[in-house]
Amino acid sequence: MSKKSVRHEKILAALDRNPALRVNELSDEFGVSSETIRRDLAVLDEAGKISRTYGGAVRNVVFEPGLAERLKLQVRERWEIAEAALSLLDGVDTLFIGGGSTVLHFARALRRLSRPLYVLTPSFSVAMELSSNPRMRIMSLPGLFDGSEGLVHGPDTLAAIGKYSAPVAVLGVSGIDERGASGSFIAGAQVYSAMVEQSRRSLILADALKFDKRALVDIATWTPNIHLVTDSHPGRALSEAIKAGNAQITVASESK
């Protein structure tokens, strides 16, 4: 392990012990310059292990081990999808945001916004990610917590969603096929379907590995209010199904 990697691990351990440590304190503790610590924090922030704060950082808490493992996959593709989705939100002031690895990348991109934004989410990780931006007001939806997915669900969650409407919902899914988008977590898929119903437009974030796969529960069919944001063009049959439903597609590499 390199000296830098060792220092990164020690920084994470130090933040576990004391989340209020500042850059100058970390610099003194590890005997390196403040600029070196800032570069270290930038790397750890990009990797999703911390959240930067003014003058320091806080350690990110990951509740769901399955999500933590998925965050290591398709990182470049998912980050490009997140950036492309962010570019579609001009003028939007309220969002439903789901959970999952691609959506958590989106939350990390979203927290850079400098304008006010109201967010409703069933995901603890998304809520924590966005909470570092003081311009964002976060409503963490009520419900039963599922630790494997880091989401709340159940009657209370669905009832809360039904009380609100938003211009846009941003969701991740398990499968994309000719019928639409689907999810493997039954209770989570019900929450996402409710968000689709309560929003005027839904951005479905999915990398190409989800194409031509069908998960257990339908979330959305291809309709004009559905917008797929992905990293590459679907195959002919899937593209034609999306077009037939008057849904939209944004391919990240073409949106730059």
Side-chain angles (χ1 to χ4, degrees):
M1 186 178 288
S2 68
K3 289 183 179 180
K4 182 185 294 185
S5 297
V6 170
R7 189 170 64 249
H8 287 178
E9 292 301 318
K10 289 182 177 179
I11 289 172
L12 293 175
L15 290 171
D16 281 335
R17 295 191 301 270
N18 182 3
L21 284 173
R22 316 297 286 176
V23 167
N24 62 326
E25 294 172 312
L26 290 167
S27 175
D28 291 341
E29 181 170 344
F30 298 113
V32 296
S33 69
S34 295
E35 187 57 37
T36 295
I37 291 294
R38 289 191 182 92
R39 287 196 295 268
D40 289 337
L41 295 179
V43 171
L44 293 170
D45 181 49
E46 183 68 23
K49 295 181 179 180
I50 65 167
S51 292
R52 296 293 302 276
T53 63
Y54 184 77
V58 293
R59 186 77 155 97
N60 281 351
V61 178
V62 179
F63 291 95
E64 53 280 27
L67 176 57
E69 289 303 311
R70 296 201 301 272
L71 280 169
K72 300 174 184 177
L73 307 174
Q74 301 288 105
V75 173
R76 179 182 59 80
E77 292 85 353
R78 287 170 173 173
W79 185 254
E80 290 178 351
I81 290 170
E83 294 281 3
L86 188 62
S87 72
L88 300 173
L89 298 180
D90 287 349
V92 173
D93 60 2
T94 305
L95 289 173
F96 283 123
I97 302 181
S101 52
T102 306
V103 171
L104 191 52
H105 282 292
F106 169 77
R108 289 173 181 165
L110 183 67
R111 75 181 182 202
R112 302 196 310 261
L113 284 189
S114 58
R115 58 181 171 83
L117 189 68
Y118 198 98
V119 173
L120 301 93
T121 182
S123 167
F124 282 17
S125 293
V126 167
M128 291 176 62
E129 196 70 45
L130 296 178
S131 65
S132 62
N133 185 331
R135 290 181 174 270
M136 294 188 180
R137 299 179 65 192
I138 317 300
M139 174 181 284
S140 186
L141 294 170
L144 300 171
F145 179 66
D146 184 282
S148 64
E149 291 296 323
L151 295 174
V152 294
H153 61 89
D156 289 341
T157 314
L158 298 177
I161 293 170
K163 295 177 180 178
Y164 299 95
S165 61
V168 178
V170 181
L171 308 171
V173 298
S174 303
I176 295 287
D177 69 359
E178 294 174 35
R179 284 183 55 179
S182 52
S184 56
F185 177 39
I186 296 175
Q190 292 172 341
V191 171
Y192 291 176
S193 293
M195 288 181 168
V196 171
E197 289 294 324
Q198 294 298 115
S199 61
R200 293 195 291 274
R201 179 167 58 116
S202 295
L203 304 183
I204 305 295
L205 314 189
D207 61 74
L209 294 180
K210 307 288 177 61
F211 291 170
D212 301 313
K213 292 183 179 179
R214 184 162 187 77
L216 190 60
V217 187
D218 288 342
I219 292 175
T221 57
W222 301 120
T223 58
N225 68 322
I226 300 297
H227 193 144
L228 174 63
V229 187
T230 185
D231 59 320
S232 64
H233 285 279
R236 181 176 178 180
L238 180 53
S239 293
E240 289 180 351
I242 295 171
K243 184 178 180 180
N246 291 315
Q248 295 178 278
I249 304 178
T250 291
V251 178
S253 60
E254 298 175 358
S255 67
K256 297 178 181 178

